[in-house]
Amino acid sequence: MLFVRDFPDEAMLLDISRRFNSMDPRAVRACLALGLTTRDMRESFERFLSQYGLSNGRFLVLAVMFRTPDEAVSPSSLAHGVGVTRATMTGLLDGLERDGLVTRADDAEDRRKKLVRLTPQGQELIQRVLPEHSRRTTRFAACLTCEEWVTLTALLARIQSGIEAFENIDK
Amino acid sequence: MLFVRDFPDEAMLLDISRRFNSMDPRAVRACLALGLTTRDMRESFERFLSQYGLSNGRFLVLAVMFRTPDEAVSPSSLAHGVGVTRATMTGLLDGLERDGLVTRADDAEDRRKKLVRLTPQGQELIQRVLPEHSRRTTRFAACLTCEEWVTLTALLARIQSGIEAFENIDK
DNA sequence: TGACATTCGTTAGGGGCCATACTATATGGC
DNA sequence: GCCATATAGTATGGCCCCTAACGAATGTCA
């Protein structure tokens, strides 16, 4: 019932639930809201990044690398840091390298590895993005009070552990 | 800072925020939780659907069509109902037709249109999925109390209108 | 040292989604 | 009837992400 992109579906899904099982519409509505809110956040964020020719994945790569701008990192550790597979990282780095934001060199010590480095253009770009990103996040944080954010986190944590619980039943 | 798939990033992003701007870590944490919870819900849901050879999109198509199992619908209205573009719907229908869950026929009245219908196999499948889906949703709803779901919805609504607000500033 | 396992980056192939642009058809205003 | 416009479905090509499998390099341990 989750993960719809359009509002008409709310009616449709409520309809389906009604036909099959009397489910609490408040929970259904909240799930819908969860999906839609997250989608809106994501879209807003990606629209912002796209002004700089970045996607979420590309941004995270640059951001991770910018923590140690002068050190080279391996694609593998980047993949872990960003939270994608190594295969996906290959694709991201292909794009970033093509756009001149990053370089890949061989590692003399461990010849399986590559050494990824930010180019000056890469550093310049991420330094231009991050402050604005920061401003956006601050504005975003103002949507709720501190207590409300804490409440939200607590509720989400309960949902997550609930999912985990019945995930284990399923399997 | 949202939309990370892995936990190490929390540290990383807090680090970034700290370096650039003192942001409320409670808000950052909540955003992270929002993204992670939604992802977990989505993954749990998709894992469930994949047992039946369905994806979120494919499931929604069948579910929408199952509201009127005997009526034919156009790809266009399906796209609107499911919330994807017409181009995406073409792809979804290609797959569903290939798997024998759906048929496409020409519309004699309006020769631009196609008429999509559930096959008996399609009906059988969605009828097998929906009750289990319903049970899952019910279990899911039990994660929080009714009041808590209402609270959650309210908080999310505030976030959404907040996003909308500064989305309008940006553009 | 040699055999085995593990790690690295990559390729190949898939799904999901999008925007864009094309063809065929329909429709409203003249 | 004719033309501009809108709509329907699709093809193409792109991005993001995945799994599976590969060759090369390295680690391990008898």
Side-chain angles (χ1 to χ4, degrees):
Chain A
M1 68 297 181
L2 329 163
F3 318 125
V4 193
R5 294 153 223 74
D6 213 356
F7 263 79
D9 300 82
E10 175 157 18
M12 151 197 138
L13 289 159
L14 285 171
D15 177 53
I16 287 177
S17 346
R18 195 177 337 107
R19 286 171 34 168
F20 270 83
N21 183 320
S22 58
M23 240 169 338
D24 186 354
R26 279 163 292 204
V28 176
R29 181 173 304 276
C31 294
L32 239 17
L34 201 52
L36 291 171
T37 305
T38 307
R39 186 202 59 179
D40 286 353
M41 284 167 58
R42 164 164 232 130
E43 283 180 356
S44 167
F45 185 48
E46 285 175 349
R47 210 159 21 242
F48 159 66
L49 288 178
S50 72
Q51 296 169 351
Y52 300 91
L54 294 179
S55 65
N56 186 45
R58 286 161 64 97
F59 165 73
L60 287 175
V61 172
L62 297 185
V64 168
M65 294 196 60
F66 190 61
R67 297 170 72 193
T68 55
D70 302 320
E71 275 174 42
V73 258
S74 68
S76 204
S77 72
L78 273 176
H80 180 257
V82 169
V84 296
T85 61
R86 281 173 297 138
T88 299
M89 186 50 62
T90 297
L92 286 172
L93 291 175
D94 284 346
L96 291 168
E97 194 174 26
R98 170 174 37 78
D99 294 354
L101 302 172
V102 131
T103 57
R104 266 188 283 208
D106 292 325
D107 184 339
E109 318 253 304
D110 185 338
R111 295 173 54 207
R112 292 170 303 181
K113 292 189 182 173
K114 295 273 180 180
L115 295 174
V116 185
R117 268 179 260 264
L118 281 177
T119 63
Q121 295 96 302
Q123 297 200 20
E124 191 270 331
L125 178 60
I126 190 64
Q127 269 179 295
R128 214 166 66 234
V129 173
L130 282 176
E132 176 61 17
H133 172 256
S134 216
R135 275 193 291 280
R136 283 177 56 87
T137 307
T138 304
R139 262 189 310 179
F140 182 81
C143 291
L144 300 182
T145 66
C146 292
E147 298 76 38
E148 288 171 330
W149 284 116
V150 172
T151 304
L152 180 61
T153 307
L155 292 177
L156 293 171
R158 295 256 307 286
I159 293 175
Q160 270 192 287
S161 54
I163 293 174
E164 248 174 73
F166 66 73
E167 201 71 12
N168 293 338
I169 296 172
D170 281 352
K171 183 68 227 44
Chain B
M1 70 302 178
L2 329 164
F3 318 124
V4 193
R5 292 154 224 74
D6 212 357
F7 262 79
D9 300 79
E10 174 157 19
M12 152 196 139
L13 289 159
L14 284 171
D15 176 54
I16 288 177
S17 346
R18 195 176 337 106
R19 287 169 35 166
F20 269 83
N21 184 320
S22 58
M23 243 169 336
D24 185 355
R26 280 164 293 204
V28 176
R29 181 173 304 274
C31 295
L32 240 18
L34 203 50
L36 291 172
T37 304
T38 307
R39 186 201 58 179
D40 286 354
M41 285 169 56
R42 164 163 232 130
E43 282 180 356
S44 168
F45 184 48
E46 286 175 348
R47 210 160 21 241
F48 158 66
L49 288 178
S50 72
Q51 295 170 351
Y52 300 91
L54 294 178
S55 65
N56 186 45
R58 285 162 65 96
F59 166 74
L60 287 175
V61 173
L62 297 186
V64 168
M65 294 195 60
F66 191 61
R67 296 170 72 194
T68 54
D70 302 320
E71 275 173 42
V73 258
S74 68
S76 206
S77 71
L78 273 176
H80 179 258
V82 169
V84 296
T85 61
R86 282 173 297 138
T88 299
M89 186 50 62
T90 297
L92 287 173
L93 291 176
D94 284 346
L96 292 169
E97 194 175 25
R98 172 174 36 78
D99 294 353
L101 302 171
V102 132
T103 57
R104 265 187 286 205
D106 292 326
D107 184 337
E109 318 251 306
D110 185 337
R111 296 175 51 209
R112 293 170 302 182
K113 291 190 181 171
K114 295 275 180 179
L115 295 175
V116 185
R117 269 180 258 265
L118 281 177
T119 62
Q121 295 95 306
Q123 296 200 21
E124 190 271 330
L125 178 60
I126 189 64
Q127 269 179 297
R128 216 167 65 234
V129 173
L130 282 176
E132 175 61 18
H133 172 257
S134 217
R135 275 193 291 280
R136 284 177 56 88
T137 308
T138 305
R139 261 187 311 178
F140 182 80
C143 291
L144 301 183
T145 67
C146 292
E147 298 76 39
E148 287 171 330
W149 285 116
V150 172
T151 304
L152 179 62
T153 307
L155 292 176
L156 293 171
R158 295 256 307 285
I159 294 175
Q160 268 192 289
S161 55
I163 293 174
E164 248 173 72
F166 66 72
E167 202 71 11
N168 292 338
I169 295 172
D170 281 353
K171 185 65 228 45

